[in-house]
């Protein structure tokens, strides 16, 4: 080593002694991370947004013949790639086009070899139309048929305004039908259901039944009126027809009212394209999904994710804070506390599906089933009385023993035997009360009338939220504990010296001071909860929920309802949809939205946190 | 009966009596047979080198040491004749009678107003007019009123260090305690702020019995009526300030006050 001192150091040694290599190494690590994150955001944003951008429609004339003429096909180019021919091993250039017209072609996508294309044109009169069924149609219009005798050819200058008018009318009528069927008929159905259940249980005497049956008859006639109104509207939807021609020359019929929206992509200016883009994006955010979720919007999924996340945060926050206060402020340090801490920390690492399975077994089947139909195996009456008596007795004893110890002496240690007896009594009270409730032979459930169809005994937004709040509980506990230990000792002592009790000190000084840290925990919990899919799949998320968890039908909050979730929606689109090519753009768009939603939720929470910090001027000493 | 210095035996009433008091942190004994009394409406300074137990004694006077695990004591401390360790004594009401000011100013992350009335808030008092009066009176006594009267509802962290410490004093006296404990109240302050606090103390002694722990012998000399010198957990000498500093009876005292060790 003495040589190294006498010789001039090599440049490598010089570099290493300055530590620059390490600086580069660490900076590289950071850059890789930044690059990945930026790449992720860019890729998803680009792919997600390009879904909404209106692309031009090309008409391809193929070299092959069909019915004596060159075959023609129109579509939007979605991909260009090189494929190696299986037979010759030669590279073949091919394109993938979106042809739409699933009703005519069977598939919405088609691959064409570049070599098979005779010519490609961009005819200006092509229309891309979104329909309520069979996805998009790409066609040239021929004429509008108002009735058997009256029609309007596409060459007429009033054709396009007329088409616009009819499409708008159809949309208005469709909204009317939805309102009728979902809200009014839905509300009447709910009342009929309730009435039927009451009738089933009602006294058989006619003076009791007659008014109920009367009411039921009124409701049923109301229902019939509304249903026939809906049918009339539906029939009206089919009156005007659009005759259009595909690239192949085939002419087809389409009820105009089933077109949701159309545009002529090859005639659009940049501004026009942008308008269509905004329209698509807005529709995506606000509409309900169609066609096995591959078309339409994802509003129910956004709403479901939002409600579920908020519900989860509302559940996990008080629970986590209370638990952390006990752990940090009251629990006696020792092996027990250490092991509980380790367990809580490890809970954060348990795979989320495990929580899902627990939620299914405990909350859905156990608690939900109990709410629905009462205990499956109730205690025999005599035993139940004994158990409830035991609960009361232990409660009284525990209260006596605890209250006799005045809070004035709370700072003096209790004798071991005494605290052991107290703890045992409290724990037995809790257990016996639980037993009394869970095995009560007189409780037959709140929703026994609706059985065998379960109400709470099946997945729902409440159970999903509770499961997720259990999963994110460790995050909140750990963050709160850390925040509590960051509250300076001096301030705590000052509060106690002012005559505050320990609880007053925690409530007025420690907890407010810890709130920004607690908010950090909640932010992390929400970020994790909002993006979780696996546990939700088995505790209440569905591919298509018929109704939202909040709506205008009493009691307005339907905690038992199944719901849609963006994360699951992505999974469903990507892996479970009948036409995965068609669903691919939706996957990116939905992912973009999920990221956006998580960011928005987090930004809100961060905003609240910095507001709190400013208010408290974080005690930095 | 624990002793007061000779000339006070008749003129002053012993308000706090520390009666042959021993104290342990776990296995370590930090106070050995402390036996002295603090007279009413006087300032008593506890001086001594670091680790001599003066702060421990101070923190026993309002039982702040109860927060530490594994403590043990022998002997007794009486406040106005009642033992602090009497099972009937509530720690919380004891602390309402014995206010405390800490070494490092520690206002709560609240407004100036809320800081002052904290002890009243936790006692459940909420009559606005009464609280306003208390705030004004306490802040006036702490010589802070004129500086903060226009910003009572602003954060206490906006004040300077000296102002924050005076706010802490206002907070400690808001609930009219009988005793004021001060644990090196000027250690974190500049000389001008220190002087202000010292002036304040001499005014406050008309109403409160003050016990102050200080490292600063000049300070003890300036403000204290009585001074007790501690060394290695023992009370070495307790006398009127002037005589302790001019004619110390013990060798260790003399060595300490002349700066031969600290």
């Amino acid at each position: 080593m003495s040589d190294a001192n006498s010789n001039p150091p090599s440049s490598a040694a010089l570099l290493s002694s300055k530590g620059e290599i390490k600086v580069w190494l660490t900076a590289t690590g950071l850059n890789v991370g930044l690059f990945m994150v930026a790449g992720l955001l860019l890729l998803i944003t680009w792919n997600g947004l390009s879904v909404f951008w209106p692309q031009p429609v090309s008409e391809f004339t193929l070299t092959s013949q069909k019915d004596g003429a060159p075959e023609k096909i129109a579509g939007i180019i979605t991909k260009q790639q090189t494929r190696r021919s299986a037979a010759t091993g030669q590279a073949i250039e091919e394109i993938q086009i979106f042809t739409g017209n699933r009703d005519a072609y069977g598939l919405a996508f088609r691959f064409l070899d570049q070599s098979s294309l005779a010519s490609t044109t961009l005819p200006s009169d092509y229309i891309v139309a979104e329909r309520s069924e069979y996805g998009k149609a790409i066609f040239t219009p021929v004429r509008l048929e108002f009735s058997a005798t009256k029609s309007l050819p596409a060459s007429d200058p009033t054709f396009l305004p007329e088409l616009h008018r009819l499409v708008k009318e159809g949309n208005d009528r469709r909204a009317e039908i939805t309102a009728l069927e979902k809200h009014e008929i839905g509300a009447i159905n709910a009342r009929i259901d309730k009435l039927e259940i009451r009738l089933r249980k009602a006294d058989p005497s006619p003076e009791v039944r007659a008014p109920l049956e009367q009411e039921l008859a009124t409701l049923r006639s109301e229902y019939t009126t509304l249903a026939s109104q809906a049918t009339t509207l539906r029939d009206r939807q089919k009156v005007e027809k659009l005759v259009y021609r595909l690239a192949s020359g085939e002419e087809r019929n389409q009820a105009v009212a089933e077109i949701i929206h159309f545009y002529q992509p090859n005639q659009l200016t940049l501004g026009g394209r942008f308008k269509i883009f905004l329209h698509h994006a807005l529709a995506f955010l606000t509409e309900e999904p169609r066609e096995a979720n591959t078309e339409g919007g994802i509003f129910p999924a956004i709403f479901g994710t939002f409600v579920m996340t908020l519900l989860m945060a509302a559940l996990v926050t008080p629970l986590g804070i209370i638990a952390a206060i006990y752990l940090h402020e009251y629990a006696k340090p020792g092996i027990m506390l250490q092991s509980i801490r380790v367990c809580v920390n490890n809970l954060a690492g348990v795979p989320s599906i495990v929580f899902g399975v627990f939620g299914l077994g405990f909350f859905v089947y156990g608690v939900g089933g109990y709410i629905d139909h009462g205990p499956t195996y109730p205690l025999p009456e005599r035993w139940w009385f004994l158990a409830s008596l035991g609960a009361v007795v232990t409660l009284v004893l525990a209260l006596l023993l605890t209250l006799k110890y005045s809070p004035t002496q709370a700072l003096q240690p209790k004798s071991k035997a005494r605290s052991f007896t107290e703890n045992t009594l409290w724990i037995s009270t809790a257990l016996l009360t639980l037993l009394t409730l869970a095995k009560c032979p007189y409780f037959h459930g709140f929703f026994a009338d609706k059985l065998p169809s379960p109400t709470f005994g099946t997945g729902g937004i409440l159970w999903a939220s509770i499961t997720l709040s259990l999963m994110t509980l460790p995050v909140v506990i750990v963050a709160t504990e850390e925040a509590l230990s960051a509250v300076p000792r001096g301030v705590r002592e000052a509060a106690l010296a002012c005559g505050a009790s320990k609880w007053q000190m925690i409530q007025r000084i420690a907890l407010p001071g810890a709130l920004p840290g607690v908010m950090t925990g909640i932010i992390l919990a929400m970020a994790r909860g909002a993006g979780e899919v696996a546990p939700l799949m088995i505790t209440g998320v569905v591919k298509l929920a018929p109704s939202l968890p909040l709506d205008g039908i009493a009691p307005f909050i339907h905690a038992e309802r199944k719901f849609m979730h963006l994360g699951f929606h992505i999974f469903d689109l990507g892996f479970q949809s009948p036409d995965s090519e068609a669903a691919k753009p939706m996957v990116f768009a939905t992912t973009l939205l999920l990221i956006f939603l998580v960011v928005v939720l987090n930004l809100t929470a961060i905003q609240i946190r910095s507001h709190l910090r400013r208010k408290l001027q974080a005690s930095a000493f | 009966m624990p002793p007061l210095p000779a000339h006070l035996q008749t003129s002053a009433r012993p308000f706090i009596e520390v009666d042959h008091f021993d104290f342990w942190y776990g296995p370590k004994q930090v106070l050995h047979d402390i036996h002295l009394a603090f007279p009413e409406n006087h300032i008593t300074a506890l001086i001594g080198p670091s680790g001599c137990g003066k702060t421990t004694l101070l923190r026993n006077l309002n039982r702040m040491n109860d927060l530490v695990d594994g403590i043990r004591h022998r002997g007794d401390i009486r406040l106005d004749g009642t033992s602090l360790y009497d099972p009937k004594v509530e720690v919380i009401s004891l602390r309402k009678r014995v206010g405390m000011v800490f070494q490092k100013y520690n206002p709560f992350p609240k407004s100036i107003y809320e800081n002052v009335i904290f002890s009243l808030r936790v006692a459940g008092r909420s009559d606005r007019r009464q609280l306003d009066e208390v705030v004004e009176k306490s802040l006036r006594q702490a010589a802070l009123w004129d500086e903060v009267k226009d910003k009572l509802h602003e954060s206490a962290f906006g004040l300077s260090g000296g102002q924050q410490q005076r706010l802490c004093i206002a907070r400690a006296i808001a609930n009219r305690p009988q005793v004021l404990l001060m644990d090196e109240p000027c250690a974190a302050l500049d000389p001008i702020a220190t002087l202000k606090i010292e002036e304040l103390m001499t005014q406050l002694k008309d109403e409160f019995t003050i016990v102050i722990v200080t490292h600063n012998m000049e300070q003890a000399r300036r403000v204290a009526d009585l001074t007790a010198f501690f060394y290695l957990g023992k009370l070495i000498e307790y006398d009127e300030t002037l005589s302790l500093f001019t004619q110390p009876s013990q060798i260790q005292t003399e060595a300490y006050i002349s700066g031969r060790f600290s």
Side-chain angles (χ1 to χ4, degrees), chain B:
Chain B
M1 193 57 126
L4 285 173
H7 76 284
L8 281 173
Q9 293 285 7
T10 50
S11 64
R13 185 167 79 96
F15 195 67
I16 307 172
E17 297 160 279
V18 182
D19 197 352
H20 295 288
F21 193 73
D22 296 297
F23 189 78
W24 288 264
Y25 283 128
K28 188 171 170 253
Q29 186 170 7
V30 285
L31 292 178
H32 298 266
D33 195 32
I34 307 296
H35 195 66
L36 82 172
F38 301 108
E40 196 170 21
N41 295 348
H42 282 70
I43 300 179
T44 310
L46 310 182
I47 61 168
S50 302
C52 69
K54 54 192 191 305
T55 298
T56 306
L57 178 64
L58 191 79
R59 291 170 64 92
N60 266 314
L61 300 183
N62 67 346
R63 288 183 57 182
M64 280 306 270
N65 274 333
D66 288 13
L67 302 173
V68 182
D69 277 331
I71 52 157
R72 195 155 59 84
H73 72 91
R74 196 164 63 195
D76 199 7
I77 300 177
R78 287 188 294 277
L79 179 73
D80 206 5
T82 321
S83 166
L84 302 190
Y85 298 96
D86 188 314
K88 284 199 221 67
V89 169
E90 288 187 29
V91 176
I92 286 163
S93 60
L94 166 70
R95 289 187 188 144
K96 284 174 185 154
R97 293 170 66 194
V98 184
M100 188 163 189
V101 177
F102 294 81
Q103 178 173 2
K104 182 82 175 88
Y105 42 87
N106 48 7
F108 302 131
K110 293 172 180 285
S111 69
I112 293 170
Y113 187 92
E114 285 297 325
N115 259 284
V116 177
I117 57 165
F118 182 82
S119 54
L120 281 77
R121 282 252 190 258
V122 296
R125 306 248 294 273
S126 60
D127 175 15
R128 194 78 202 176
R129 198 145 23 104
Q130 207 181 10
L131 295 182
D132 286 345
E133 274 170 26
V134 169
V135 168
E136 182 170 349
K137 186 175 178 202
S138 311
L139 285 173
R140 275 192 197 284
Q141 274 193 311
L144 193 60
W145 174 253
D146 291 330
E147 292 159 61
V148 301
K149 64 179 177 215
D150 299 325
K151 46 178 184 179
L152 288 178
H153 296 282
E154 286 172 30
S155 166
F157 292 115
L159 300 175
S160 73
Q163 286 175 323
Q164 291 194 24
Q165 187 63 303
R166 274 181 282 150
L167 178 62
C168 291
I169 294 175
R171 181 176 69 189
I173 61 178
N175 209 12
R176 304 286 112 197
Q178 295 159 307
V179 180
L180 194 55
L181 307 177
M182 303 178 111
D183 186 3
E184 299 188 48
C186 304
L189 300 181
D190 61 80
I192 295 169
T194 302
L195 217 63
K196 269 213 158 123
I197 303 266
E198 286 173 5
E199 269 171 35
L200 191 55
M201 278 190 261
T202 45
Q203 284 159 24
L204 290 175
K205 80 173 174 184
D206 294 339
E207 196 180 338
F208 308 98
T209 304
I210 299 178
V211 182
I212 171 175
V213 163
T214 179
H215 255 113
N216 181 337
M217 277 178 282
E218 295 309 311
Q219 184 169 56
R221 209 195 280 245
R222 280 194 299 266
V223 299
D225 304 308
L226 302 158
T227 301
F229 172 64
F230 285 77
Y231 183 58
L232 296 179
K234 295 191 178 80
L235 175 63
I236 305 297
E237 190 169 352
Y238 181 39
D239 205 347
E240 209 182 339
T241 303
L242 197 63
S243 49
L244 184 123
F245 277 100
T246 49
Q247 300 159 322
S249 61
Q250 304 291 322
I251 299 173
Q252 289 127 313
T253 316
E254 201 205 334
Y256 182 71
I257 61 175
S258 59
R260 262 179 273 155
F261 72 98
S262 61

Side-chain angles (χ1 to χ4, degrees), chain A residues 110-143:
Chain A
R110 191 162 162 188
F111 280 97
L112 297 173
D113 288 353
Q114 287 280 16
S115 57
S116 70
L117 299 179
S119 69
T120 307
T121 54
L122 285 172
S124 66
D125 55 348
Y126 267 103
I127 282 182
V128 175
E130 272 174 46
R131 302 173 293 178
S132 57
E133 270 172 64
Y134 297 114
K136 282 189 182 125
I138 296 176
F139 56 79
T140 46
V142 178
R143 65 179 179 274

